Amino acid sequence: MLKIPKEVALHLIGPSKVKRETIKKIINYTVAEYVQKEGLSASNNLKVQQSYEELEAAFEPGKEFFFDAVIHLQ
């Protein structure tokens, strides 16, 4: 994976898109970690209860970030 300095990424693609991608990665990583830790068999169909606008408003780098998700078990 290519590592791009934060300042360069922000300049090239804009802070809003960087924030959106960061939120997506946090959600996907957190849910995958939970599914693995609990030994669940889940589909890839994940639904987050909050809108993207709500998630973006709640997200502050370095602070706790909460979201509600529905995981469909197999």
Side-chain angles (χ1 to χ4, degrees), residues 19-68:
K19 194 175 204 179
R20 179 179 299 127
E21 291 303 313
T22 301
I23 290 170
K24 283 182 189 177
K25 284 186 178 195
I26 290 170
I27 290 171
N28 288 334
Y29 176 81
T30 303
V31 171
E33 184 180 53
Y34 174 78
V35 166
Q36 182 180 19
K37 180 179 131 190
E38 295 298 322
L40 302 173
S41 178
S43 72
N44 289 335
N45 189 11
L46 168 69
K47 181 173 180 178
V48 177
Q49 299 294 313
Q50 295 86 350
S51 69
Y52 174 72
E53 291 77 19
E54 291 171 317
L55 293 169
E56 187 176 35
F59 180 74
E60 289 186 49
K63 303 223 174 176
E64 287 187 334
F65 177 61
F66 298 95
F67 60 91
D68 299 315

